[in-house]
Amino acid sequence: MSKHLALLVAGISAELKNMLGPVVDLVPVDKQADRAQFLKTYGKDFEFVVTSAGKGCPNDVIAQLPNLKVIFNWGVGFDKVDVDFAASRSVQVANTPDVLNECVADMAMGMLISQFRLMGEAERFVRRGEWSNNPTPPMGQKVTGKRLGIVGLGRIGLETVKRAEAFSMQIRYHNRGPRDDVDHLYEASIKALATWSDCLLLLCPSTPDTHHLIDREVLTALGPRGSLINIARGSVVDQTALVELLLSGELGGAALDVYEHEPEVPRALMDLPNVVLLPHVGSATYETRTAMAQLVVDNVKSFIDSGHLITPVS
Ligand code: 8YV
């Protein structure tokens, strides 16, 4: 029996490709000489799309797949898929939640400690050979006991809270509404949360409502001793304001794993000692990427066997 055809619209790991091999025939759209003609001729043959959180699937591609049933997203964030448009064509979307919570939370704390203790700058100080003739390495700020404000207290946020509590950090959060299952203080105003925080950690999804949620006013409220940690999405922050306020010293520091126009990183941030710059590696561990790949495969198998997804986007 011929396998289901899946249109591959983004780069995925070789591991995921190998794991999907026995289940579906993956057809990379980017390998087609004439993409438009290919979709016109063969679009009707595809029930599945496989993609990554970074790339998603544009509406014009969805529109050319009349028999599409599911978009399988390798990643928890699905901001690059118009779920409402897909639903209007009875197309479901599956993502890979929960399996990456621990690694993203670990990285969030790592970024916080690295920024507060200027670990990157201290490491460059050694690599530049400066220690032999300069006895005073970069001085950082204490982490233990500091005030952590979380924007987007969800699954990854709750994992991060466990880690922050181990550092005796005081925690407050902002969500669309208060949670009834945590005893940390809810801040309805993000500006008030930023004013209170020593460190503002972003963990919210990228949606039209969170676009530039962290604007110049919020960054200014965080202040010259405050630190912004973004492991959510670049679009959540007004990056132009962020760069200007870091350069002027009106914002104390930042650790960034995501940017507005990845993989572009603002040149002006490259030499700032109080800024940590990472290439979207929040979930980039062997264990977690394997678990994410396995969850994609499990969703595909479940849908083929029962018509049901294990983790449809919510
Ligand atoms: C990406 C992520 O999936 O899960 C997400 O939403 O942003 C990452 O884990 C990963 O970078 C692969 O594209």
Side-chain angles (χ1 to χ4, degrees), residues 11 52-55 73-79 96 100 104 231-233 258 279-284 288-289 292:
S52 72
K55 190 79 177 285
N73 186 74
W74 180 54
V76 65
F78 48 90
D79 42 286
T96 62
L100 41 62
V104 177
I231 194 166
R233 287 291 187 264
V258 288
H280 200 141
V281 287
S283 68
T288 288
R289 289 294 168 81
M292 290 166 65

Side-chain angles (χ1 to χ4, degrees), residues 4-13 16-21 23-30 46-53 55-58 61 65 68-75 81 91-94 96 292-293 296-297 299-300:
H4 295 262
L5 277 182
L7 188 70
L8 181 61
V9 296
I12 58 174
S13 66
L16 177 52
K17 277 187 193 145
N18 295 337
M19 291 164 76
L20 281 168
V23 191
V24 292
D25 280 332
L26 268 180
V27 181
V29 72
D30 291 343
F46 292 93
E47 292 173 290
F48 302 148
V49 156
V50 173
T51 187
S52 72
K55 190 79 177 285
C57 186
V61 172
L65 309 175
L68 182 62
K69 293 190 176 63
V70 187
I71 297 171
F72 296 96
N73 186 74
W74 180 54
V81 177
V91 176
Q92 297 186 68
V93 181
T96 62
M292 290 166 65
V296 171
V297 173
N299 269 293
V300 173

Side-chain angles (χ1 to χ4, degrees), residues 262-277:
E262 290 174 19
E264 272 174 43
V265 174
R267 182 77 205 74
L269 298 181
M270 297 291 187
D271 305 324
L272 293 182
N274 54 340
V275 175
V276 176
L277 299 171

